[in-house]
Amino acid sequence: MEDINVKSVRYPKATDEKLEKISLKLGRPKKLVVIQMVNYFYGTKKDPIDFNDELLKKELVNGVNRIISFFKKQEKDFLLPMFTDSNGLTIIAKEHTEYFKIIWQHLQKEEKKSDRLSNRMGQLEKEIARTQQYYNEKSKLKSSFREILNYYINQRESLGWPVSAAKKEELQSHVRKSLENI
């Protein structure tokens, strides 16, 4: 097995402090950070001295241009038709609002009518109940009157034709009292 730690690099103490900060920030050992930096620069073919990397700038500009063209396409395909349609929908919504107001007014009128009808039906039910009560009372009254009349006729027949005035008067007063008690 061959030792991979064959080469060493010497660098100033200030660079070591910077490397130490980077490795602590990334949470990796300094050796691993150095290996990863070398792999990064080797893979991207970037010059570490060039802070204004033209390739990076071009990539960023291309990315921004792609994003802007995407937004423009989305605006043309989706937003403009949606705004056009939303204006029409706003007009329709306003018309519907007017229709709903008219329907609401009509419903309020119908509710008032139904309340009046309900009140009238309640009054009719009371009147029917009262009429039924009067009818029952009338039937009772007829029955009582029939009994009194039958009693009068029976008593009058039992007295015969030559009846004394006192007996007639007693029968009449009894019938009058009975009629008053009805």
Side-chain angles (χ1 to χ4, degrees):
M1 181 158 184
E2 185 180 329
D3 186 15
I4 60 170
N5 299 320
V6 180
K7 302 287 183 181
S8 64
V9 177
R10 299 189 73 129
Y11 46 85
K13 189 171 186 172
T15 304
D16 184 53
E17 289 173 3
K18 290 178 186 176
L19 184 60
E20 183 73 32
K21 287 180 183 179
I22 292 172
S23 68
L24 287 175
K25 182 179 177 185
L26 296 175
R28 301 177 208 145
K30 290 192 279 186
K31 182 177 171 182
L32 182 60
V33 171
V34 170
I35 293 171
Q36 289 173 342
M37 285 190 309
V38 169
N39 288 337
Y40 173 77
F41 288 118
Y42 183 78
T44 60
K45 299 188 179 18
K46 294 183 179 179
D47 185 1
I49 295 176
D50 187 13
F51 288 114
N52 298 323
D53 188 7
E54 290 301 319
L55 267 156
L56 182 60
K57 284 182 183 178
K58 285 180 183 178
E59 290 283 331
L60 289 174
V61 168
N62 286 339
V64 169
N65 287 340
R66 281 194 309 248
I67 291 170
I68 290 173
S69 66
F70 173 77
F71 284 145
K72 286 182 180 180
K73 177 95 169 117
Q74 295 297 317
E75 179 182 334
K76 183 178 131 194
D77 291 347
F78 296 111
L79 292 178
L80 291 177
M82 194 166 46
F83 283 136
T84 305
D85 292 343
S86 68
N87 288 337
L89 291 174
T90 304
I91 292 168
I92 292 171
K94 286 179 183 177
E95 289 174 0
H96 283 165
T97 303
E98 292 301 319
Y99 292 140
F100 286 141
K101 285 179 184 177
I102 292 168
I103 291 170
W104 177 250
Q105 291 170 352
H106 180 71
L107 287 175
Q108 286 179 329
K109 289 177 185 176
E110 290 299 316
E111 182 182 17
K112 288 177 184 177
K113 286 180 184 177
S114 66
D115 286 344
R116 286 191 300 239
L117 183 63
S118 176
N119 289 339
R120 182 67 180 136
M121 291 298 289
Q123 290 174 349
L124 284 175
E125 287 176 2
K126 288 177 186 176
E127 292 299 319
I128 289 171
R130 198 168 78 197
T131 304
Q132 185 67 33
Q133 182 183 1
Y134 287 152
Y135 179 75
N136 291 340
E137 289 176 4
K138 182 180 174 182
S139 295
K140 288 179 187 176
L141 186 64
K142 281 183 180 179
S143 175
S144 297
F145 189 72
R146 205 175 293 118
E147 288 176 15
I148 292 170
L149 187 60
N150 286 338
Y151 175 78
Y152 177 77
I153 291 171
N154 287 338
Q155 292 299 319
R156 180 84 179 209
E157 292 295 321
S158 70
L159 291 176
W161 282 108
V163 180
S164 68
K167 288 276 188 182
K168 284 183 183 177
E169 195 61 38
E170 178 185 335
L171 182 59
Q172 288 175 359
S173 68
H174 180 280
V175 170
R176 282 189 185 115
K177 283 182 184 175
S178 296
L179 286 176
E180 285 179 16
N181 289 335
I182 292 179

